[in-house]
């Protein structure tokens, strides 16, 4: 029987479209989960090809952000690295929200059409990475405390009686304290709604669930009245604070769905629209995720009301969606800046605290604005998920070069204070008497890059000691732009790099990590054949140079990225395990210290590690080869040759 198959399913992803429909109509299923399942299982979303948004529909900046997200087709469904793909995709979604124009309500239908056609990228990416929301059973197991809670809700009760049942530890975990009464509403209402849902999933009699919902509503209202949380002067809605919409959304959305399933349409409409059926609603909307949940309530009501009511409700929906999109844009802008300022944040964790505020990364926070597009299309415009319109997407059939598919947000180098004009390039510190080499400037582009670097270096200069550059910026390899030399290095000059570059093996079509990338000389060289190269360095000021070059619109090499991130941090991220095909670690440490780092290097590399230990002790080629025997426990060791600087040996360790 259908119900037996549903009960046996370990995850909602195991359900067929018919079973999803049955659970939604007869038991319970979150609208977002239902939408995600049916979009993935029934719509004809693009599984391969190079897709872009149709030209001329949206602004150029927003269109580029959409193209960036579309570049994950078909990688999102086929990549062997689901975690890394999801993290990069997640950042691309936030960049899309950040780059949205301020949409007017009249533009909402077009935006919802676009978002409905993009939702599959996030849904498939998160499903393949196994995010918890998508893997619960259709009928979740009822817990012992939920049995007693449901029994309490079958009779009139007070929220305080539920609080008394919590242990001291549970109160701390839930943030639920009598001396701060609003915390009881946020914590207990959501917990009890979940309890009712679990019982509905397991086939409780509908009239018992209805009684529990009504008693919970009465307990909530009584508590609000007791603490003067209703009808505060100056508030457009029947509440004391805009934040109250959050717990009311939980009760009235899922309660409304229950009454709709039982055929009580009048009560369902009443609950869906409770306290939010007002033209002033957009003014009271706060956090965008809560706002989209409010929009979901309006959409659910829209399907049930008469045609006359639909006219006014449609205006309210479009106004609320436009306001929610604006708030999503504001949140994404703030979040991306925080990620820029905190490069050590582990993005594989869905939420983290900065100061006294918690920020969400991925999951619902990127999914809901896109999925609401599919809900809007079905509930307002009557478009079934199986007929989701992908007409706004065009198959370009040309390889797409991502602007930035990053593991971390890129921090653009700040412009130097009072930068010198291009026509009056200041004297380089290298051109002082103590320096032998000058630096050729080939063309206007190189001049502008050089101008930026000079301006930045002049701002950093704090002493007349000509060695300041070595200590402040630590530039020890040349600076190039599109293959042309802009500045030579003091010690590791361009002439001394030739043998080194010849010894490097081919990195064709590989994902490469360059540890200690400095000015990006080796990084850019490898990128000419590699699929993508990630450069990391501890010296943030040095990294401004390759980042600036990367962000120059005339830069020809785009498949690179640079991050201020210690090796220790990267090697402690679970998602980074075997993430890179090759890891290179050149000219930083001697063999003894490299040998101690090898566990971290082999953690990151799936194929090989390339090392070039320093040779300040002037070891002979035979001694260098003998030193390398300590690496044999990690894999096959191959001597690639000796460089023309200190006679250093370069080795490849094949794992």
């Amino acid at each position: 029987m259908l119900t037996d198959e549903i009960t046996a399913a370990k995850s909602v992803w195991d359900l067929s479209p018919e079973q999803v429909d049955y659970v939604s109509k007869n038991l319970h299923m979150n609208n977002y989960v239902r939408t995600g399942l049916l979009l993935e299982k029934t719509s004809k979303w693009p599984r391969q090809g190079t897709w872009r948004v149709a030209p001329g529909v949206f602004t150029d900046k927003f269109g580029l952000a959409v193209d960036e997200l579309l570049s994950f087709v078909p990688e999102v469904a086929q990549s062997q690295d689901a975690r890394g793909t999801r993290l990069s995709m997640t950042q691309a979604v936030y960049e899309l929200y950040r780059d949205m124009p301020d949409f007017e309500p009249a533009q909402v239908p077009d935006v919802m059409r676009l978002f409905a056609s993009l939702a599959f990228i996030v849904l498939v990416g998160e499903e393949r990475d196994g995010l918890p929301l998508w893997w619960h059973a259709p009928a979740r197991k009822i817990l012992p405390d939920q049995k007693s809670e449901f029994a309490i809700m079958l009779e009139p009760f007070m929220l305080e009686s539920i609080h008394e049942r919590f242990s001291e530890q549970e109160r701390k975990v839930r943030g639920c304290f009598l001396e701060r009464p609003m915390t009881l509403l946020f914590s207990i209402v959501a917990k009890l709604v979940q309890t009712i849902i679990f019982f509905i999933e397991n086939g409780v009699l509908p009239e018992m669930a209805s009684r529990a919902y009504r008693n919970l509503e009465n307990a909530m209202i009584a508590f609000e009245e007791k603490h003067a949380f209703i009808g505060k002067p100056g508030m457009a809605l029947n509440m004391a604070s805009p934040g109250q919409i959050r717990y009311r959304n939980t009760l009235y959305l899922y309660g409304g769905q229950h009454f709709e399933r039982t055929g009580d349409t009048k009560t369902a409409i009443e609950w869906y629209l409770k306290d939010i059926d007002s033209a002033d609603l957009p003014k009271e909307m706060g956090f965008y995720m809560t706002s989209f949940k409010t929009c979901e309530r309006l959409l659910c009501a829209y399907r049930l009301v008469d045609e006359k009511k639909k006219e006014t409700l449609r205006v309210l929906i479009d106004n609320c969606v436009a306001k929610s999109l604006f708030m999503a844009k504001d949140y994404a802008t703030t979040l991306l800046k925080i990620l820029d300022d905190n490069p050590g944040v582990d993005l594989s964790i869905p939420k983290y605290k900065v100061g006294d505020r918690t920020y969400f990364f991925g999951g619902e926070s990127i999914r809901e604005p896109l999925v609401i597009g599919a809900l809007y299309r079905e509930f307002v415009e009557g478009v079934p998920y199986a007929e989701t319109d992908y007409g706004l997407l065009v198959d370009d059939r040309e390889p797409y070069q991502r602007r930035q598919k990053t593991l971390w947000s890129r921090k653009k180098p700040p412009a130097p204070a009072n930068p010198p004009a291009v026509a009056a390039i200041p004297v380089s510190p290298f051109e002082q008497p103590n320096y032998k080499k000058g630096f050729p400037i080939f063309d206007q582009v190189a001049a502008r890059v050089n101008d930026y670097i000079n301006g930045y270096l002049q701002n950093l200069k704090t002493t007349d000691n000509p060695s300041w550059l070595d200590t402040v910026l630590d530039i020890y390899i040349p600076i190039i732009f599109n293959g042309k030399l802009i500045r030579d290095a003091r010690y590791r000059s361009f002439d001394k790099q030739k043998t080194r570059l010849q010894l490097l093996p081919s990195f064709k079509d590989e994902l490469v990590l360059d540890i200690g990338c400095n000015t990006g000389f080796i990084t850019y060289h490898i990128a000419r054949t590699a699929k993508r190269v990630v450069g990391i360095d501890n010296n943030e000021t040095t990294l401004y140079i390759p980042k600036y070059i990367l962000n120059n619109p005339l830069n020809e090499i785009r498949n690179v990225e640079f991050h201020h991130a210690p090796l220790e941090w990267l090697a402690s991220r679970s998602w980074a395990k075997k993430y890179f095909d090759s890891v290179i670690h050149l000219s930083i440490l001697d063999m003894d210290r490299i040998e101690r780092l090898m566990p971290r290097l082999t953690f990151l590399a799936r194929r090989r590690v390339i090392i070039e230990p320093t040779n300040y002790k002037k070891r002979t080629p035979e001694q260098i080869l003998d030193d390398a025997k300590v690496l044999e426990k990690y894999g096959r060791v191959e001597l690639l040759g000796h460089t023309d600087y200190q006679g250093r040996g370069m080795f490849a360790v094949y794992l």
Side-chain angles (χ1 to χ4, degrees), residues 550-567:
L550 176 62
N551 291 322
N552 190 294
L554 295 179
N555 173 42
E556 297 172 355
I557 301 176
R558 296 288 180 181
N559 57 327
V560 295
E561 54 189 88
F562 299 95
H563 303 285
H564 177 225
L567 170 62

PDB file of all heavy atoms in Angstrom, residues 550-567:
ATOM      1  N   LEU A 550      44.523  40.611 -10.413  1.00  0.00           N
ATOM      2  CA  LEU A 550      43.396  39.756 -10.781  1.00  0.00           C
ATOM      3  C   LEU A 550      42.147  40.575 -11.067  1.00  0.00           C
ATOM      4  O   LEU A 550      41.393  40.278 -11.999  1.00  0.00           O
ATOM      5  CB  LEU A 550      43.116  38.754  -9.659  1.00  0.00           C
ATOM      6  CG  LEU A 550      41.908  37.832  -9.844  1.00  0.00           C
ATOM      7  CD1 LEU A 550      42.100  36.951 -11.077  1.00  0.00           C
ATOM      8  CD2 LEU A 550      41.691  36.974  -8.605  1.00  0.00           C
ATOM      9  N   ASN A 551      41.924  41.608 -10.274  1.00  0.00           N
ATOM     10  CA  ASN A 551      40.712  42.409 -10.418  1.00  0.00           C
ATOM     11  C   ASN A 551      40.799  43.453 -11.521  1.00  0.00           C
ATOM     12  O   ASN A 551      39.811  44.128 -11.802  1.00  0.00           O
ATOM     13  CB  ASN A 551      40.377  43.103  -9.093  1.00  0.00           C
ATOM     14  CG  ASN A 551      39.934  42.122  -8.040  1.00  0.00           C
ATOM     15  OD1 ASN A 551      39.234  41.170  -8.349  1.00  0.00           O
ATOM     16  ND2 ASN A 551      40.353  42.326  -6.808  1.00  0.00           N
ATOM     17  N   ASN A 552      41.977  43.606 -12.146  1.00  0.00           N
ATOM     18  CA  ASN A 552      42.100  44.535 -13.265  1.00  0.00           C
ATOM     19  C   ASN A 552      41.294  44.003 -14.449  1.00  0.00           C
ATOM     20  O   ASN A 552      41.442  42.843 -14.835  1.00  0.00           O
ATOM     21  CB  ASN A 552      43.575  44.685 -13.660  1.00  0.00           C
ATOM     22  CG  ASN A 552      43.783  45.813 -14.661  1.00  0.00           C
ATOM     23  OD1 ASN A 552      43.308  45.733 -15.792  1.00  0.00           O
ATOM     24  ND2 ASN A 552      44.481  46.849 -14.247  1.00  0.00           N
ATOM     25  N   PRO A 553      40.401  44.788 -15.021  1.00  0.00           N
ATOM     26  CA  PRO A 553      39.535  44.285 -16.100  1.00  0.00           C
ATOM     27  C   PRO A 553      40.287  43.783 -17.326  1.00  0.00           C
ATOM     28  O   PRO A 553      39.739  43.008 -18.109  1.00  0.00           O
ATOM     29  CB  PRO A 553      38.646  45.487 -16.440  1.00  0.00           C
ATOM     30  CG  PRO A 553      39.326  46.675 -15.860  1.00  0.00           C
ATOM     31  CD  PRO A 553      40.099  46.198 -14.682  1.00  0.00           C
ATOM     32  N   LEU A 554      41.530  44.204 -17.507  1.00  0.00           N
ATOM     33  CA  LEU A 554      42.295  43.755 -18.667  1.00  0.00           C
ATOM     34  C   LEU A 554      43.149  42.524 -18.369  1.00  0.00           C
ATOM     35  O   LEU A 554      43.871  42.047 -19.239  1.00  0.00           O
ATOM     36  CB  LEU A 554      43.177  44.890 -19.182  1.00  0.00           C
ATOM     37  CG  LEU A 554      42.422  46.108 -19.736  1.00  0.00           C
ATOM     38  CD1 LEU A 554      43.398  47.171 -20.205  1.00  0.00           C
ATOM     39  CD2 LEU A 554      41.508  45.701 -20.879  1.00  0.00           C
ATOM     40  N   ASN A 555      43.064  42.025 -17.149  1.00  0.00           N
ATOM     41  CA  ASN A 555      43.800  40.809 -16.807  1.00  0.00           C
ATOM     42  C   ASN A 555      43.276  39.628 -17.626  1.00  0.00           C
ATOM     43  O   ASN A 555      42.075  39.404 -17.715  1.00  0.00           O
ATOM     44  CB  ASN A 555      43.654  40.515 -15.312  1.00  0.00           C
ATOM     45  CG  ASN A 555      44.257  39.180 -14.929  1.00  0.00           C
ATOM     46  OD1 ASN A 555      45.332  38.825 -15.393  1.00  0.00           O
ATOM     47  ND2 ASN A 555      43.545  38.446 -14.103  1.00  0.00           N
ATOM     48  N   GLU A 556      44.175  38.874 -18.232  1.00  0.00           N
ATOM     49  CA  GLU A 556      43.777  37.778 -19.122  1.00  0.00           C
ATOM     50  C   GLU A 556      43.631  36.450 -18.401  1.00  0.00           C
ATOM     51  O   GLU A 556      43.075  35.493 -18.958  1.00  0.00           O
ATOM     52  CB  GLU A 556      44.817  37.624 -20.245  1.00  0.00           C
ATOM     53  CG  GLU A 556      44.926  38.857 -21.159  1.00  0.00           C
ATOM     54  CD  GLU A 556      46.099  38.750 -22.121  1.00  0.00           C
ATOM     55  OE1 GLU A 556      46.872  37.770 -21.999  1.00  0.00           O
ATOM     56  OE2 GLU A 556      46.248  39.637 -22.979  1.00  0.00           O
ATOM     57  N   ILE A 557      44.143  36.338 -17.192  1.00  0.00           N
ATOM     58  CA  ILE A 557      44.125  35.060 -16.473  1.00  0.00           C
ATOM     59  C   ILE A 557      43.129  35.163 -15.328  1.00  0.00           C
ATOM     60  O   ILE A 557      43.352  35.891 -14.355  1.00  0.00           O
ATOM     61  CB  ILE A 557      45.527  34.708 -15.947  1.00  0.00           C
ATOM     62  CG1 ILE A 557      46.516  34.628 -17.114  1.00  0.00           C
ATOM     63  CG2 ILE A 557      45.498  33.376 -15.195  1.00  0.00           C
ATOM     64  CD1 ILE A 557      47.943  34.386 -16.687  1.00  0.00           C
ATOM     65  N   ARG A 558      42.028  34.438 -15.442  1.00  0.00           N
ATOM     66  CA  ARG A 558      40.934  34.567 -14.479  1.00  0.00           C
ATOM     67  C   ARG A 558      40.731  33.331 -13.609  1.00  0.00           C
ATOM     68  O   ARG A 558      39.978  33.397 -12.634  1.00  0.00           O
ATOM     69  CB  ARG A 558      39.621  34.850 -15.230  1.00  0.00           C
ATOM     70  CG  ARG A 558      39.618  36.177 -15.978  1.00  0.00           C
ATOM     71  CD  ARG A 558      39.524  37.332 -15.027  1.00  0.00           C
ATOM     72  NE  ARG A 558      39.528  38.624 -15.695  1.00  0.00           N
ATOM     73  CZ  ARG A 558      39.470  39.784 -15.066  1.00  0.00           C
ATOM     74  NH1 ARG A 558      39.393  39.800 -13.759  1.00  0.00           N
ATOM     75  NH2 ARG A 558      39.503  40.916 -15.734  1.00  0.00           N
ATOM     76  N   ASN A 559      41.363  32.222 -13.953  1.00  0.00           N
ATOM     77  CA  ASN A 559      41.098  30.980 -13.213  1.00  0.00           C
ATOM     78  C   ASN A 559      42.012  30.857 -11.995  1.00  0.00           C
ATOM     79  O   ASN A 559      42.583  29.808 -11.716  1.00  0.00           O
ATOM     80  CB  ASN A 559      41.282  29.770 -14.130  1.00  0.00           C
ATOM     81  CG  ASN A 559      42.662  29.709 -14.757  1.00  0.00           C
ATOM     82  OD1 ASN A 559      43.270  30.734 -15.036  1.00  0.00           O
ATOM     83  ND2 ASN A 559      43.151  28.508 -14.992  1.00  0.00           N
ATOM     84  N   VAL A 560      42.178  31.970 -11.274  1.00  0.00           N
ATOM     85  CA  VAL A 560      42.975  31.986 -10.056  1.00  0.00           C
ATOM     86  C   VAL A 560      42.199  32.708  -8.967  1.00  0.00           C
ATOM     87  O   VAL A 560      41.259  33.464  -9.240  1.00  0.00           O
ATOM     88  CB  VAL A 560      44.339  32.696 -10.269  1.00  0.00           C
ATOM     89  CG1 VAL A 560      45.206  31.929 -11.240  1.00  0.00           C
ATOM     90  CG2 VAL A 560      44.143  34.128 -10.735  1.00  0.00           C
ATOM     91  N   GLU A 561      42.594  32.473  -7.728  1.00  0.00           N
ATOM     92  CA  GLU A 561      42.059  33.226  -6.604  1.00  0.00           C
ATOM     93  C   GLU A 561      43.115  33.256  -5.517  1.00  0.00           C
ATOM     94  O   GLU A 561      43.959  32.352  -5.426  1.00  0.00           O
ATOM     95  CB  GLU A 561      40.754  32.620  -6.089  1.00  0.00           C
ATOM     96  CG  GLU A 561      40.846  31.156  -5.743  1.00  0.00           C
ATOM     97  CD  GLU A 561      39.479  30.566  -5.437  1.00  0.00           C
ATOM     98  OE1 GLU A 561      38.803  30.120  -6.370  1.00  0.00           O
ATOM     99  OE2 GLU A 561      39.120  30.548  -4.249  1.00  0.00           O
ATOM    100  N   PHE A 562      43.090  34.309  -4.695  1.00  0.00           N
ATOM    101  CA  PHE A 562      44.106  34.497  -3.673  1.00  0.00           C
ATOM    102  C   PHE A 562      43.427  34.767  -2.334  1.00  0.00           C
ATOM    103  O   PHE A 562      42.453  35.518  -2.260  1.00  0.00           O
ATOM    104  CB  PHE A 562      45.023  35.663  -4.035  1.00  0.00           C
ATOM    105  CG  PHE A 562      45.774  35.457  -5.327  1.00  0.00           C
ATOM    106  CD1 PHE A 562      45.274  35.965  -6.519  1.00  0.00           C
ATOM    107  CD2 PHE A 562      46.952  34.740  -5.344  1.00  0.00           C
ATOM    108  CE1 PHE A 562      45.951  35.771  -7.710  1.00  0.00           C
ATOM    109  CE2 PHE A 562      47.638  34.532  -6.536  1.00  0.00           C
ATOM    110  CZ  PHE A 562      47.138  35.045  -7.722  1.00  0.00           C
ATOM    111  N   HIS A 563      43.985  34.152  -1.258  1.00  0.00           N
ATOM    112  CA  HIS A 563      43.361  34.283   0.056  1.00  0.00           C
ATOM    113  C   HIS A 563      44.408  34.413   1.150  1.00  0.00           C
ATOM    114  O   HIS A 563      45.445  33.739   1.113  1.00  0.00           O
ATOM    115  CB  HIS A 563      42.477  33.077   0.355  1.00  0.00           C
ATOM    116  CG  HIS A 563      41.421  32.853  -0.672  1.00  0.00           C
ATOM    117  ND1 HIS A 563      40.293  33.633  -0.753  1.00  0.00           N
ATOM    118  CD2 HIS A 563      41.335  31.952  -1.686  1.00  0.00           C
ATOM    119  CE1 HIS A 563      39.557  33.215  -1.766  1.00  0.00           C
ATOM    120  NE2 HIS A 563      40.168  32.208  -2.348  1.00  0.00           N
ATOM    121  N   HIS A 564      44.108  35.291   2.089  1.00  0.00           N
ATOM    122  CA  HIS A 564      44.933  35.406   3.291  1.00  0.00           C
ATOM    123  C   HIS A 564      44.465  34.331   4.252  1.00  0.00           C
ATOM    124  O   HIS A 564      43.517  34.517   5.015  1.00  0.00           O
ATOM    125  CB  HIS A 564      44.759  36.806   3.899  1.00  0.00           C
ATOM    126  CG  HIS A 564      45.511  36.993   5.175  1.00  0.00           C
ATOM    127  ND1 HIS A 564      44.961  37.594   6.282  1.00  0.00           N
ATOM    128  CD2 HIS A 564      46.780  36.635   5.518  1.00  0.00           C
ATOM    129  CE1 HIS A 564      45.851  37.600   7.253  1.00  0.00           C
ATOM    130  NE2 HIS A 564      46.959  37.035   6.821  1.00  0.00           N
ATOM    131  N   ALA A 565      45.101  33.186   4.205  1.00  0.00           N
ATOM    132  CA  ALA A 565      44.664  32.047   5.004  1.00  0.00           C
ATOM    133  C   ALA A 565      45.866  31.183   5.367  1.00  0.00           C
ATOM    134  O   ALA A 565      46.602  30.755   4.483  1.00  0.00           O
ATOM    135  CB  ALA A 565      43.643  31.213   4.226  1.00  0.00           C
ATOM    136  N   PRO A 566      46.084  30.917   6.646  1.00  0.00           N
ATOM    137  CA  PRO A 566      47.198  30.057   7.049  1.00  0.00           C
ATOM    138  C   PRO A 566      46.968  28.611   6.606  1.00  0.00           C
ATOM    139  O   PRO A 566      45.831  28.132   6.549  1.00  0.00           O
ATOM    140  CB  PRO A 566      47.198  30.165   8.583  1.00  0.00           C
ATOM    141  CG  PRO A 566      46.327  31.333   8.906  1.00  0.00           C
ATOM    142  CD  PRO A 566      45.350  31.454   7.793  1.00  0.00           C
ATOM    143  N   LEU A 567      48.043  27.918   6.318  1.00  0.00           N
ATOM    144  CA  LEU A 567      47.947  26.501   5.975  1.00  0.00           C
ATOM    145  C   LEU A 567      47.285  25.719   7.100  1.00  0.00           C
ATOM    146  O   LEU A 567      46.480  24.814   6.852  1.00  0.00           O
ATOM    147  CB  LEU A 567      49.354  25.948   5.698  1.00  0.00           C
ATOM    148  CG  LEU A 567      49.468  24.422   5.545  1.00  0.00           C
ATOM    149  CD1 LEU A 567      48.662  23.932   4.359  1.00  0.00           C
ATOM    150  CD2 LEU A 567      50.927  24.018   5.418  1.00  0.00           C
TER     151      LEU A 567
END
